[in-house]
Amino acid sequence: MFTLARRRVRTAALALSAVAALVLSATTATGAAGASAAPAPAKQGPTSVAYIEVNNNSMLNVGKYTLADGGGNAFDVAVIFAANINYDTASKTAYLHFNENVQRVLDNAATQIRPLQEKGIKVLLSVLGNHQGAGFAIFPSQQAASAFAEQLSDTVAEYGLDGVDFDDEYAEYGNNGTAQPNDSSFVHLVTALRANMPDKVISLYNIGPAATRLSYGGVDISGTFDYAWNPYYGTWQVPGIALPKAQLSPAAVEIGRTSQNTAAGLARRTVDEGYGVYLTYNLDGSDRSADVSAFTRELYGSEAVYTP
């Protein structure tokens, strides 16, 4: 049972998170041009994020969970996991690649993405290394970084997405004769991407060489990100990036693998310490309402309801 002091901390943190969510929503656009997004019923509390492994699961799973108290969405952000940064050995350039499952989601945006956006859920595209030596810290020049940023922003525009998530894992820098990470690449890439899409979300999965190279030539891109989160599931780790608490997720859970007690404890700590984001991974097609309720009770004071 909460003590009176913890109730006061929780109430203050919920209010802070609600204000932060309103501010962030005012700076990020939803959906393709012409797509109408009906706002979800209001809820107070941190922004909840769900990564979906689209090789195995449907993006629509994210929209199947609502709060018993008030009917708001259990999840606020859905992340397509994942597109890749690949390497063309002939031209010696990195390029954006979609496997058949990611491509299927994008090609069927009307049935796989738009229904979530119409519920008020933002949909991001995660971009991940693919063991080919290409990563976000590989670009040798501002021009090369800007070219890749244009591929990303063009994809967001073409498919009506709400933004891009950077995950600098599995790049295996040095493969195919590629260079090791440099200090300017990610700064140039994120700067160009923000210029291309000023009103979209850019998030950071806080891992890999790129995540430690956020400043170059007097430019610090930390404040360019809308969110940053801990990449280690079942743990608490504050991302080492200069963002307000409202935009950080020190908590990370894998649904179905992180215990419900741990998920609840991490959610409680998120609220008690005033952080504004709660990260989850691998929501599948099963009824996971017990797992989801474990953290929604702490974040929002409500059970989660699953509707197939």
Side-chain angles (χ1 to χ4, degrees):
M1 182 177 294
F2 289 113
T3 64
L4 180 59
R6 286 186 68 184
R7 285 194 184 112
R8 287 172 176 166
V9 171
R10 178 185 177 88
T11 300
L14 287 171
L16 174 62
S17 297
V19 171
L22 288 172
V23 171
L24 287 175
S25 65
T27 61
T28 54
T30 299
S36 60
K43 73 176 185 184
Q44 290 189 338
T47 297
S48 49
V49 182
Y51 275 83
I52 303 298
E53 288 265 14
V54 297
N55 288 343
N56 306 308
N57 299 302
S58 170
M59 291 298 296
L60 298 178
N61 294 338
V62 183
K64 295 179 179 179
Y65 294 86
T66 54
L67 301 179
D69 182 7
N73 296 317
F75 296 100
D76 304 293
V77 178
V79 185
I80 302 168
F81 190 80
N84 296 107
I85 177 172
N86 278 10
Y87 189 71
D88 185 325
T89 55
S91 64
K92 299 187 184 304
T93 56
Y95 66 95
L96 184 61
H97 170 76
F98 311 129
N99 71 21
E100 60 182 6
N101 298 303
V102 172
Q103 189 66 65
R104 182 171 57 249
V105 171
L106 296 176
D107 288 343
N108 292 281
T111 58
Q112 297 296 306
I113 296 172
R114 229 57 80 219
L116 298 178
Q117 293 173 327
E118 288 167 1
K119 292 175 183 286
I121 299 169
K122 295 185 183 298
V123 180
L124 312 184
L125 179 66
S126 182
V127 186
L128 179 72
N130 202 18
H131 313 282
Q132 299 183 7
F136 310 124
I138 195 180
F139 298 106
S141 66
Q142 185 172 12
Q143 181 180 11
S146 295
F148 189 74
E150 186 170 0
Q151 292 181 52
L152 294 172
S153 57
D154 285 351
T155 296
V156 168
E158 179 177 358
Y159 297 105
L161 301 171
D162 295 297
V164 169
D165 175 64
F166 287 108
D167 182 350
D168 196 23
E169 295 181 279
Y170 310 116
E172 297 184 16
Y173 291 94
N175 280 1
N176 290 315
T178 57
Q180 292 301 307
N182 69 68
D183 292 337
S184 64
S185 175
F186 196 44
V187 173
H188 289 323
L189 174 59
V190 174
T191 300
L193 184 62
R194 176 54 78 202
N196 291 352
M197 43 181 235
D199 299 320
K200 297 291 185 176
V201 174
I202 303 176
S203 61
L204 178 66
Y205 193 80
N206 191 46
I207 198 169
T212 65
R213 291 168 166 81
L214 303 180
S215 179
Y216 178 78
V219 177
D220 189 322
I221 57 171
S222 298
T224 302
F225 295 98
D226 294 276
Y227 306 111
W229 28 68
N230 169 20
Y232 301 108
Y233 302 113
T235 73
W236 177 273
Q237 180 175 293
V238 179
I241 179 173
L243 284 173
K245 283 186 171 184
Q247 294 169 247
L248 296 175
S249 180
V253 302
E254 182 172 355
I255 295 174
R257 294 193 67 180
T258 301
S259 75
Q260 292 175 20
N261 284 340
T262 298
L266 291 171
R268 192 177 309 120
R269 187 172 179 182
T270 297
V271 172
D272 288 349
E273 297 190 22
Y275 287 94
V277 190
Y278 188 86
L279 177 68
T280 75
Y281 168 72
N282 210 24
L283 181 66
D284 61 22
S286 305
D287 178 355
R288 295 291 185 181
S289 54
D291 294 296
V292 177
S293 292
F295 58 81
T296 61
R297 282 192 296 266
E298 302 296 337
L299 297 178
Y300 313 118
S302 175
E303 302 282 333
V305 176
Y306 172 74
T307 304

